[in-house]
Amino acid sequence: MLDVGRHPRINLLAYSEVENVSGDAGNFRVKVRKKARFVNEDLCTGCGTCAEKCPTMTVDVFNAELGSRKAIYKYFPQGIPSIYTIDKDACRQLGQGKKCGICAKVCQAKAVDFEQNDGEIQLHVGAIVVATGYDVFDPSVIPEHGYGRIANVVTALEFERLLSASGPTAGHLDRPSDMALEKEIDDLEKEHKKLSRQLKQLEEKHGKSSAQVMDLVKSGAAAADKDLHNWAASAERFGELEARLEPMRQKIGAAQPAKKLAFIQCVGSRDFRFNKFCSSYCCMHSVKEAMIANEHDNEVSSSIFCMDLRAVGRGFEEYKLRGGKQANIKYVRGRVAEITEDDALNPVVWFESTTSRQVLHETFDMVVLATACVPTAGTPKLAELLGIELDSNGFFKTDPLAPLNATRDGIFVCGCAQGPMDIPESVAQASSAAARAAEVVAPARQVAAAGSQ
Amino acid sequence: MAEEIRIGVFVCDCGSNIAGYLKVSELAEYAKTLPNVVYVKENLYTCSESGINEIKAAVKEQDLNRVVVASCTPRTHEPLFRETCAEGGLNPYLFEMVNIRDQCSWVHMQEKEEGTAKAKDLIRMGVAKASLLQPQEPIESPMDPRAMVIGGGISGMTSALALANRGYQVTLVEKAAELGGLLLQLDKIGPANADAASVAEKHAQQVQGHPKIKTLTATKIDAINGYIGNFKVTTSTNGVQEEFGVGVIVVATGARVLKPVGLFNYDGEKVITQLELESLFKKGAFNAKNVVMIQCVGARNEERKYCSRICCMVAIKNAIAIKERSPDTGVHILYRDIQAYGTENEELYQYAKQLGVRFLKYDQAKPPKVEEGRVTVYHHLLGRDLELPVDLVVLSTPLIAGEDNETISRLLRVSLDENKFFLEGHVKLKPLDFANDGIYLCGNAHYPATVREAISQALGAASRASIPLSRDVMTVEPIVSTLVDEDACRGCGLCVALCPYGALEIVRTEKGRKVKVIPVACKGCGVCAATCYQHALTINSYTDEQIGQQIEAFLETGTEG
Amino acid sequence: MQYTTDVRIIRLMCTGRVDPPMLADAFMKGADGVMVVGCHFGDCHYITGNYQGKIKVGLASRTLDYVGLNPRRVSFSQCSSAEGERFVNMVSAFDQTIRELGPLGNAERVALPELKDKLAIAKTVLSREKIRWVVGKFTEFTTTGNKYGERFTEHEMWRTLDTIIMDEVATYEILRELENAPASAKEMAAKLKLPPPHVLKYVLALQRRGFVGLAEIDGTSPRYQIVDPMAKEEAA
């Protein structure tokens, strides 16, 4: 990333979208809309003071919505270009019309610009490489897996963030149900603290205890005194909070990080209801996640539920076997029928074992869904803009014997934009696409070079 | 050396990122007291236009011969400041960066006193190292704009064509008498269902007709010497030796199909390999009523742990071919896991099922038994043995590493993996490069691959190779290994064996055997310097003295730590 | 993400650059702990440099331990550039360890002024040919084997290195003693807290190599002295 940002021959247009493409191979004209960041790219040094002082918290999309970030933000810490952007919808000033502007005040580089508008750029290029990647399948449409309904059923990508040392849990396998409880306690405690302060002030001011006031109101003696009624209501709420918080605190005190994991393969892939194709990388991804979880805490055990475990790259089969031997990973052949939830919020996995021919169920601390790799939401629109075809699965269509070529000359597709594949294959394909693109632009380059001599 | 060291120190506020947590003015004052420091300046943002100009001006006006910037991370800003020094007329390697943001202000936000004390130490350490810095010149090495591709299969031919189409002269070396490789033995290529021989032939014609490609068939490589930009290759064709130079090399040597001698009663007649089945197709000699295919023959076992990636798809392709020729022929595929990864492969898998190909999972611990006229296999769902009538058994055997891989890896000084396939530089970041610069790999030489994947990798390898080819001269950062004490070197080769990049070699000199650094290949990791028992090697800008001086400076008047 | 202010970072390109005497040097100059932090195995920016780093740090740590340093003062850790939190945790844990151990000399078998002398010997040993040759062959001997095709386990290599550490430390301590004044094996044995026959063995080895010769005979025990000026340099 850093290399891309620094390369003298790469013009990086981040936070931008292609709007129109015309012309032919060797001579394309592309219209790009550069979205307003509300931060001047030339002035911003990426120092981050603005984000630190920004008073507005919003959901952190990068951390799979498991954490939060500020309204002026960088998508993730190592992001390139290292420039901040205001999330227009979350921002007090831009989105909610309130007075704020703190970021502009603290920015010593004077880079914040609330008046910035979208820009338009015209590019003249010889070849186009499409590397738009993929989306992760949304598993909430599969009713039997309970995603969205059962707190401790997460996607592989969410689990990746939980495992990450720079993620929301600093790499500890805290269960989402416990994290939610913690947040609830936090919120209630804030209210509790506020009420406690208010009540104390009232008690000091009026020389009466809250209990007395409550009795007074109950007895009807306070009749029309609105202040006293409010006081009593606050006191009642305070008592309620006390009663609610105590068991919650006990519960969170007893909460343990997840130790027993289930990984469900082919969630949304190899499933005729959703996508018939195989997503290619998820088997190894699950094995890797199970290995890392075990490295982090060697009491963690994992069961991987799969039809075939597809370990087809160099060292993959060996890695899979090592996981079984050294990292408490069990490979269970069978398709999961349903996931339910028990009283302790543990997911229970129901499945038919194809080896013992029985319907079994097993309780886990957390279930990880290996969700399918699907075409990005913008794929059909981009295909239309570029004038290229999609295959029957909705990925950009390519020719098996000319594996980078899209259906229009001068346009090449690499990586998961043409179908699911793992990182090494994507990286190799990226180079291949560059080779093809270079062949297209080579004549023009030679002319340009000759002209400059 | 009587040069007077004149160091300029620039302390950055980074807005409030540093100034908000450290007493920056105190740091600047402190820097003035350090030995050899003649100029100190505090900047709001040293990396801004005005900060940069102040550095340039100070270099000239104050006659600085070393510059230290105490600011953020060299990861992002070192190139900028080096460039600034150069623009100011100072050798860019007389610059040292001290990170008082990531290493100090950001991680000690609540401790202004202690943080400031630490920042002083860091600056003192940086200044101490700067005093010992020596000017370095970028390393330049000429680039021979020609390429050699080893292997004339689909990967090699594709790579050669891609490079030649970009205008580079390519020599394609093939040990067999004709181009084509494994494709020549195949029937059809899935999933395109193209005729393998005609694809091979089409490529071979293009290669042979290309004015920029010189094809050497029936040729063996005797020697490869040199390094990126400057390889010298010796080949022999029918006993005639030839020598030529190239700048880069693409390894596309392919792989072999394992012959399953001694497995499942293999006899080449009734029990054959997938490759032999394809040659039956080609000859039109296929004729069987009941076919059983067995997967993972000689693969994913104790002896050969790896999965050969493509055999499931080969079996499915051939099963479909059988069903399309003779729909009444029964086909069973006995497998452990069906590796139909991706979109097209899974589609073919489903199509084969639709055509009536039966898939049966077997357990490694209870392998199928092949006897005259029948195959017995334990069926999991039934919980008992199943007998399948058979008149042809087809064994899916893995691709195994080429027999010449060891020789070629020795000639190129590149690594092989435990299965003797060629090993790439980095599994994710550099899948088509070797660790050694200027050498690239693709196709089955790397690991079993489908034709689609092989073509894609071959184009990619050509693309990687064209990066250095497109330059007249290779320029490399001079932070590399240097033989500082030639007399001390005994030419033992300890360092050569440990260099991850093949950047060291032993040469004969007037003084005897000595190590020689190939600077364009060196990345400056320093393993050689840390290993040499004669302390004859060091790394520019990371010498023992410079590092020792930093340690010394930290601890001499160090704060309690 | 905050950590102790007691840490100073020295940047190297790769842990493979870590030369064992650097660690001895840091302790000699007064550091209380040294952490070497590099990439995760299999993910090294310099391919295999971190494996070499781990071996070199292991050697330094064993040598320093042998001369009396508490080995918990040396750590080899791994962390990627994206793992800030992990780095903080590692530094904090190490800081905690060092705080428990106290300043250099506090948790060691040997008290301070003497410890520094011992550390100097360790630095010399780690700079010298014998040990560097063997540690340089570590990877080759444990993977492809020596030129006779014998492959050693890591455990065997470390055991060999431990013996060399013992021999080398004794040898350089003896040379240092003789540097001060001629001495008998018995006198040196008492001073170096080594069994007299061992000291005699090392002295005789040095005599064979021509570094040490007979100075005088005091009663029944011979006193030795340095004869080769090269040896003086070696002892320094």
Side-chain angles (χ1 to χ4, degrees):
Chain A
M1 248 175 347
L2 208 61
D3 293 344
V4 170
R6 217 159 55 195
H7 201 289
R9 309 195 103 178
I10 299 177
N11 177 16
L12 180 62
L13 299 175
Y15 210 47
S16 304
E17 271 180 39
V18 173
E19 296 227 302
N20 188 21
V21 178
S22 59
D24 295 306
N27 187 22
F28 287 113
R29 297 206 173 266
V30 183
K31 194 167 103 185
V32 177
R33 187 165 63 92
K34 208 164 176 334
K35 294 187 267 187
R37 283 177 184 272
F38 305 101
V39 172
N40 185 322
E41 293 190 16
D42 298 330
L43 296 177
C44 177
T45 65
C47 74
T49 308
C50 51
E52 192 189 309
K53 304 284 186 210
C54 171
T56 314
M57 299 298 285
T58 181
V59 195
D60 186 355
V61 182
F62 177 70
N63 270 324
E65 308 196 353
L66 293 166
S68 52
R69 61 155 166 81
K70 298 295 181 68
I72 184 163
Y73 71 108
K74 221 155 71 169
Y75 188 53
F76 66 109
Q78 293 88 6
I80 296 287
S82 183
I83 291 167
Y84 279 76
T85 302
I86 297 179
D87 178 342
K88 199 174 140 196
D89 300 324
C91 174
R92 286 190 186 194
Q93 182 147 330
L94 285 169
Q96 302 166 10
K98 292 182 190 163
K99 258 186 102 151
C100 180
I102 291 176
C103 50
K105 268 179 223 131
V106 299
C107 179
Q108 306 214 21
K110 308 264 173 277
V112 176
D113 175 6
F114 291 112
E115 310 294 321
Q116 202 176 62
N117 288 315
D118 288 4
E120 197 186 291
I121 294 167
Q122 288 285 352
L123 300 175
H124 186 194
V125 297
I128 297 173
V129 174
V130 180
T132 46
Y134 66 99
D135 276 352
V136 177
F137 174 78
D138 173 13
S140 57
V141 301
I142 307 182
E144 66 268 25
H145 286 160
Y147 177 78
R149 183 162 43 82
I150 304 172
N152 294 323
V153 174
V154 300
T155 65
L157 215 59
E158 287 167 345
F159 190 69
E160 184 88 7
R161 296 315 304 155
L162 290 177
L163 276 180
S164 166
S166 56
T169 59
H172 300 297
L173 284 183
D174 295 342
R175 305 203 310 167
S177 63
D178 295 327
M179 284 159 68
L181 180 65
E182 217 164 307
K183 177 151 192 328
E184 198 183 345
I185 293 177
D186 255 18
D187 290 347
L188 292 180
E189 269 178 349
K190 255 183 224 152
E191 193 186 344
H192 179 261
K193 214 165 153 187
K194 200 170 143 196
L195 281 174
S196 152
R197 208 167 44 230
Q198 278 175 0
L199 292 175
K200 204 169 156 209
Q201 273 173 5
L202 285 170
E203 283 174 352
E204 274 168 14
K205 193 169 159 197
H206 300 285
K208 262 188 263 193
S209 81
S210 297
Q212 286 171 331
V213 175
M214 278 169 85
D215 286 342
L216 215 64
V217 170
K218 238 181 242 158
S219 69
D225 190 332
K226 215 170 138 196
D227 288 346
L228 284 182
H229 273 278
N230 285 343
W231 184 345
S234 295
E236 196 174 345
R237 173 75 184 151
F238 184 75
E240 215 180 280
L241 286 178
E242 294 255 275
R244 263 181 72 188
L245 271 167
E246 195 42 43
M248 282 166 85
R249 283 194 190 116
Q250 274 175 15
K251 208 166 149 194
I252 201 78
Q256 291 281 335
K259 300 250 186 241
K260 194 177 168 202
L261 308 173
F263 290 82
I264 318 284
Q265 298 309 112
C266 300
V267 174
S269 9
R270 300 183 73 190
D271 183 333
F272 284 93
R273 294 172 297 171
F274 309 105
N275 301 295
K276 55 187 195 300
F277 56 81
C278 160
S279 291
S280 206
Y281 57 70
C282 357
C283 283
M284 289 318 290
H285 189 215
S286 292
V287 177
K288 181 201 84 171
E289 288 193 327
M291 290 276 257
I292 294 178
N294 179 269
E295 263 168 40
H296 185 79
D297 173 356
N298 58 23
E299 283 176 30
V300 169
S301 67
S302 303
S303 297
I304 299 183
F305 293 88
C306 56
M307 292 193 278
D308 301 285
L309 201 115
R310 292 183 169 167
V312 291
R314 186 203 310 272
F316 288 8
E317 177 76 10
E318 293 89 329
Y319 187 76
K320 176 193 114 185
L321 293 175
R322 201 163 71 230
K325 280 192 195 124
Q326 297 169 8
N328 280 330
I329 303 176
K330 205 165 71 184
Y331 303 99
V332 187
R333 186 166 187 265
R335 194 135 201 170
V336 171
E338 196 184 1
I339 302 173
T340 56
E341 190 177 30
D342 72 7
D343 294 341
L345 304 179
N346 298 315
V348 182
V349 175
W350 296 77
F351 62 101
E352 189 198 341
S353 159
T354 53
T355 41
S356 69
R357 283 159 286 127
Q358 281 173 306
V359 174
L360 302 172
H361 63 94
E362 197 171 346
T363 306
F364 293 92
D365 296 336
M366 215 194 281
V367 170
V368 182
L369 304 178
T371 40
C373 162
V374 295
T376 58
T379 298
K381 193 182 146 203
L382 186 59
E384 207 186 310
L385 279 175
L386 294 169
I388 59 178
E389 291 171 35
L390 301 180
D391 67 13
S392 63
N393 298 305
F395 292 102
F396 292 104
K397 192 170 173 181
T398 50
D399 175 354
L401 290 177
L404 286 307
N405 294 24
T407 53
R408 181 175 171 191
D409 279 353
I411 301 185
F412 307 97
V413 186
C414 62
C416 289
Q418 61 161 260
M421 64 185 66
D422 61 8
I423 295 173
E425 218 186 320
S426 298
V427 174
Q429 278 211 343
S431 291
S432 324
R436 277 280 144 99
E439 281 181 39
V440 175
V441 300
R445 275 195 60 174
Q446 276 153 13
V447 170
S452 70
Q453 269 165 16
Chain B
M1 199 170 53
E3 182 202 28
E4 182 205 358
I5 306 281
R6 296 178 62 81
I7 302 179
V9 179
F10 297 82
V11 186
C12 179
D13 291 350
C14 197
S16 62
N17 265 295
I18 295 173
Y21 307 99
L22 302 176
K23 299 175 182 168
V24 180
S25 316
E26 203 178 302
L27 293 180
E29 282 309 309
Y30 175 74
K32 286 181 189 160
T33 67
L34 293 171
N36 302 324
V37 173
V38 295
Y39 180 78
V40 177
K41 177 81 186 138
E42 182 185 336
N43 310 102
L44 181 57
Y45 291 105
T46 311
C47 62
S48 68
E49 191 79 33
S50 62
I52 295 287
N53 287 336
E54 282 183 62
I55 296 180
K56 284 191 229 170
V59 168
K60 290 202 180 93
E61 287 157 20
Q62 307 291 327
D63 202 13
L64 301 179
N65 53 23
R66 302 286 188 284
V67 168
V68 173
V69 171
S71 60
C72 53
T73 165
R75 201 169 63 94
T76 56
H77 280 69
E78 196 174 59
L80 173 74
F81 291 131
R82 280 208 201 288
E83 210 175 291
T84 305
C85 289
E87 285 166 13
L90 184 67
N91 183 292
Y93 297 93
L94 296 175
F95 165 79
E96 178 68 15
M97 197 156 174
V98 177
N99 189 347
I100 56 169
R101 189 188 68 182
D102 306 35
Q103 290 180 13
C104 208
S105 68
W106 272 357
V107 292
H108 311 309
M109 286 181 165
Q110 316 298 332
E111 299 146 298
K112 202 164 192 164
E113 285 300 328
E114 294 87 342
T116 304
K118 173 174 170 179
K120 286 180 186 171
D121 285 0
L122 293 176
I123 292 173
R124 190 172 66 243
M125 290 159 72
V127 166
K129 184 177 172 190
S131 311
L132 294 178
L133 287 174
Q134 292 300 317
Q136 311 287 344
E137 292 306 326
I139 292 152
E140 293 191 341
S141 172
M143 185 74 214
D144 185 336
R146 294 175 291 179
M148 170 169 72
V149 176
I150 311 176
I154 185 70
S155 302
M157 292 192 289
T158 305
S159 238
L161 284 169
L163 284 167
N165 287 342
R166 295 278 303 278
Y168 302 112
Q169 190 70 47
V170 182
T171 304
L172 178 62
V173 181
E174 165 60 46
K175 68 174 174 181
E178 56 179 320
L179 296 176
L182 260 186
L183 275 196
L184 296 177
Q185 299 171 54
L186 301 185
D187 175 40
K188 292 275 194 283
I189 303 170
N193 215 26
D195 184 57
S198 51
V199 168
E201 202 177 314
K202 204 182 103 202
H203 275 80
Q205 275 170 5
Q206 281 182 29
V207 166
Q208 275 152 346
H210 204 295
K212 291 266 181 191
I213 303 180
K214 179 177 177 188
T215 310
L216 298 175
T217 47
T219 299
K220 190 171 127 281
I221 297 175
D222 298 329
I224 302 172
N225 288 304
Y227 46 88
I228 181 169
N230 186 20
F231 288 107
K232 292 277 169 283
V233 184
T234 314
T235 59
S236 52
T237 313
N238 303 321
V240 182
Q241 279 213 334
E242 190 175 342
E243 232 187 83
F244 54 92
V246 295
V248 297
I249 297 171
V250 176
V251 177
T253 50
R256 296 172 287 166
V257 173
L258 175 76
K259 246 199 176 357
V261 180
L263 296 172
F264 298 100
N265 295 333
Y266 170 74
D267 60 5
E269 302 269 329
K270 296 267 177 198
V271 183
I272 61 175
T273 62
Q274 294 285 359
L275 204 61
E276 286 158 346
L277 174 64
E278 296 204 25
S279 73
L280 287 184
F281 289 155
K282 283 172 72 155
K283 284 186 278 189
F286 172 79
N287 178 26
K289 282 283 132 246
N290 286 296
V291 179
V292 172
M293 297 184 177
I294 303 175
Q295 301 305 109
C296 299
V297 174
R300 298 176 70 194
N301 57 16
E302 264 314 304
E303 185 199 347
R304 210 170 283 107
K305 286 208 179 65
Y306 67 95
C307 161
S308 167
R309 186 174 175 104
I310 62 164
C311 345
C312 282
M313 292 321 300
V314 171
I316 289 171
K317 174 190 80 177
N318 288 339
I320 291 172
I322 291 173
K323 280 289 186 187
E324 284 178 344
R325 262 161 235 255
S326 102
D328 295 335
T329 299
V331 183
H332 278 85
I333 297 183
L334 312 184
Y335 70 97
R336 283 168 56 196
D337 291 279
I338 284 289
Q339 311 291 29
Y341 58 93
T343 50
E344 288 163 341
N345 294 339
E346 182 73 19
E347 232 160 83
L348 282 178
Y349 177 31
Q350 298 305 336
Y351 178 56
K353 282 185 180 172
Q354 278 168 24
L355 289 179
V357 177
R358 305 286 295 272
F359 290 83
L360 246 171
K361 190 177 165 84
Y362 78 87
D363 192 336
Q364 191 185 6
K366 291 178 191 157
K369 216 162 84 193
V370 176
E371 286 157 309
E372 183 62 36
R374 68 172 177 210
V375 171
T376 317
V377 61
Y378 179 80
H379 193 294
H380 272 297
L381 285 175
L382 301 175
R384 61 171 172 82
D385 278 348
L386 200 66
E387 260 185 30
L388 304 169
V390 68
D391 47 16
L392 185 65
V393 176
V394 184
L395 306 180
S396 293
T397 54
L399 285 180
I400 55 171
E403 54 208 344
D404 301 326
N405 284 13
E406 286 189 80
T407 320
I408 293 171
S409 78
R410 253 198 315 276
L411 290 175
L412 287 168
R413 287 177 293 165
V414 298
S415 312
L416 298 178
D417 70 9
E418 62 267 41
N419 300 308
K420 310 285 182 220
F421 288 104
F422 285 97
L423 190 61
E424 69 274 25
H426 189 286
V427 59
K428 292 195 170 65
L429 304 177
K430 287 187 164 180
L432 306 172
D433 298 39
F434 280 102
N436 312 32
D437 279 345
I439 313 178
Y440 310 88
L441 77 168
C442 57
N444 286 339
H446 164 256
Y447 196 71
T450 63
V451 172
R452 182 194 242 274
E453 288 162 354
I455 294 175
S456 173
Q457 289 174 16
L459 289 168
S463 175
R464 299 293 301 165
S466 70
I467 296 173
L469 283 180
S470 67
R471 299 183 182 136
D472 301 332
V473 174
M474 294 280 302
T475 309
V476 193
E477 274 238 37
I479 313 289
V480 293
S481 178
T482 313
L483 182 63
V484 280
D485 192 347
E486 197 186 2
D487 291 336
C489 175
R490 294 185 192 163
C492 72
L494 199 59
C495 52
V496 177
L498 289 176
C499 176
Y501 300 99
L504 298 167
E505 58 183 352
I506 298 294
V507 290
R508 287 187 191 287
T509 68
E510 286 167 11
K511 295 178 189 166
R513 281 163 58 85
K514 298 287 171 192
V515 72
K516 189 177 145 216
V517 180
I518 304 163
V520 280
C522 176
K523 307 277 184 223
C525 69
V527 167
C528 54
T531 301
C532 180
Y533 57 79
Q534 288 293 91
H535 307 274
L537 287 159
T538 194
I539 302 295
N540 294 341
S541 295
Y542 292 91
T543 66
D544 283 353
E545 298 72 43
Q546 288 162 356
I547 296 162
Q549 202 51 239
Q550 274 184 292
I551 298 174
E552 175 97 40
F554 164 28
L555 297 158
E556 60 184 2
T557 56
T559 50
E560 187 50 38
Chain C
M1 277 211 272
Q2 300 286 300
Y3 58 82
T4 172
T5 53
D6 292 341
V7 183
R8 307 288 178 271
I9 294 173
I10 293 175
R11 179 189 181 206
L12 300 178
M13 300 298 271
C14 173
T15 49
R17 175 69 186 97
V18 176
D19 203 343
M22 290 175 190
L23 277 88
D25 196 35
F27 288 110
M28 271 170 70
K29 287 172 180 163
D32 294 322
V34 176
M35 265 184 112
V36 176
V37 187
C39 304
H40 292 288
F41 288 137
D43 211 15
C44 178
H45 194 75
Y46 293 94
I47 308 176
T48 50
N50 55 357
Y51 286 98
Q52 298 308 319
K54 184 168 187 210
I55 296 168
K56 301 277 167 55
V57 173
L59 175 73
S61 153
R62 277 164 187 260
T63 310
L64 294 168
D65 181 12
Y66 182 73
V67 300
L69 185 92
N70 191 316
R72 290 171 68 206
R73 294 191 189 275
V74 178
S75 138
F76 181 85
S77 323
Q78 293 171 305
C79 155
S80 87
S81 60
E83 294 178 323
E85 197 77 38
R86 181 183 165 94
F87 180 77
V88 169
N89 292 340
M90 285 181 335
V91 170
S92 304
F94 190 64
D95 178 52
Q96 194 52 43
T97 305
I98 299 302
R99 278 177 203 287
E100 281 164 21
L101 297 177
L104 190 68
N106 201 46
E108 336 305 309
R109 295 193 304 274
V110 184
L112 240 200
E114 198 193 336
L115 181 64
K116 293 250 169 143
D117 290 344
K118 292 263 189 188
L119 290 171
I121 293 286
K123 186 180 170 187
T124 305
V125 167
L126 291 169
S127 308
R128 292 294 180 238
E129 175 173 351
K130 192 168 184 182
I131 214 158
R132 293 174 75 88
W133 174 263
V134 178
V135 80
K137 284 283 181 190
F138 197 106
T139 306
E140 187 183 325
F141 285 3
T142 50
T143 53
T144 51
N146 65 11
K147 64 177 166 185
Y148 307 107
E150 293 170 291
R151 221 194 294 185
F152 300 92
T153 63
E154 293 200 0
H155 179 75
E156 285 167 338
M157 283 304 290
W158 283 123
R159 223 172 43 194
T160 309
L161 279 165
D162 283 344
T163 319
I164 298 175
I165 292 169
M166 209 168 77
D167 291 348
E168 289 281 278
V169 168
T171 303
Y172 286 103
E173 283 194 308
I174 289 167
L175 283 174
R176 195 193 51 197
E177 287 305 317
L178 295 180
E179 179 74 355
N180 296 334
S184 71
K186 210 186 257 173
E187 287 163 343
M188 287 190 283
K191 202 149 176 215
L192 303 175
K193 299 190 187 73
L194 287 169
H198 287 201
V199 174
L200 190 62
K201 187 184 82 183
Y202 293 122
V203 170
L204 293 178
L206 284 167
Q207 194 174 19
R208 270 200 305 278
R209 286 161 67 192
F211 292 149
V212 163
L214 212 54
E216 55 187 338
I217 299 199
D218 177 26
T220 53
S221 46
R223 278 215 178 85
Y224 299 89
Q225 66 179 1
I226 290 178
V227 291
D228 182 351
M230 277 295 285
K232 274 191 186 170
E233 220 174 88
E234 290 249 321

